[in-house]
Amino acid sequence: LDTKETVAAALTEYQLDRKPRVERFQEAARQSQTYFENTRLYQHMEPLQFAFHLLSRSGRIDYDDLRLRDRHFVGAVDRWFTTTPIAAPPTFAPLTLGGKTIPNRIAVRAGHDLEAAVNTGAGLVFTDFVAVSEHGRINPYTVWLASVEMGKRWLGDNDLTTVVALGHSGARGATRGRKGMADVPLPEDEVWGLLAASPIPYTTRSQVPFEMDRTKMDDVTEDFVTTTGVTRGSGFDMVELNMGHGYLLGSFISPLTNQRTDEYGGALDARLRYPLEVFDAVKAEWSGPIGVALNASDWAPGGTTLADAVATVRILKEHGCDFVRVLAGQTTAKHFPRYDPYYLTHYADRIRNEARITTIATGDITTVDHANTIIAGGRADLCLLRAV
């Protein structure tokens, strides 16, 4: 009241000052509540990891915070996790995945700047989205089969563990470059035909894709297999199939984009039929570790839920999937993201500890402290730091 002319103005300023703090406490309480509602998922953990997960459950206490409060406890966690003579933070622990040993738990997406990826010291390096055919590109600048053939040149002599991320754009193809705004269609004289599970355009301005028939399914499956064969000879260590973010395979999985009435639509098992056909065909061609990038939620009413994602991962695991990189949203242009602390980590947590598979946490993970918190607590096995 000393600085405002009216009570209403003073109350407004007070609310603006206090509301963010209250919301942070409410979010912490929500995270804590979710933990206690799902404690059964963590019964398999060793006592030290269980305790760390409990103490960091709300997202308000990180690895470095705990080290300041109780260095002896965190030191015990380090020694248990790294199992080396000299204890180190969990991100420095190696991980064996599908017979391949990754030197540490940090992953990055290299894009075209491999040198920047090397300088991060990351144990696992992902390529950007690599299309399995020319018509499977997101935009004219998306690399496809011809670029994968240059994999050995891309890798050079660097001793990196590398993942080639393969996908087909589906309804999100034939767009302009993504500098500034994504999913803007190309001019009519530059577009190419799009394919999807159902003829649903991604945005109101987007081209209507063709609903895939059996012939198109076989053609695209062969594109995935052919690209995988090229990849095998290019020096990459792992393959990841993109089954999220509204791209082709993801469009079959989500009920928002799959409205088919044949054997490839309807219940989850039917919607998974074609993505599993592709996965099995690629796995038959690839001898190394293989994983998927998968939506844990579409962030849209009526879309894929976390329960659907867990069920999907269990089926993928039965088919030989080695890891899951956890995504959310972008299945449709109208999605409603929720950016809370570690906003995708709780999805990775549920998938890892319910389906018991190696998971890669994504989202706005920017520091090694955040990664240590996630990994030490058993919420994920690796963390993808913000793209370099």
Side-chain angles (χ1 to χ4, degrees), residues 35 38-51 53 80 317 348-357 377-381:
Y35 169 83
N38 295 280
T39 308
R40 61 179 177 80
L41 297 178
Y42 313 115
Q43 293 176 349
H44 67 283
M45 289 182 172
E46 294 293 327
L48 278 170
Q49 189 169 58
F50 185 93
H53 193 289
W80 169 78
K317 184 179 176 181
D349 186 336
R350 284 286 299 277
I351 289 172
R352 179 187 187 272
N353 290 294
E354 205 162 341
R356 303 292 180 86
I357 194 169
R379 294 174 173 84
D381 300 280

Side-chain angles (χ1 to χ4, degrees), residues 107-111 117 124-129 325 384-388:
V108 295
R109 185 181 292 108
L124 193 63
V125 179
F126 284 80
T127 68
D128 279 341
F129 184 103
R325 181 163 61 93
L384 183 73
L385 265 61
R386 182 185 292 172
V388 296

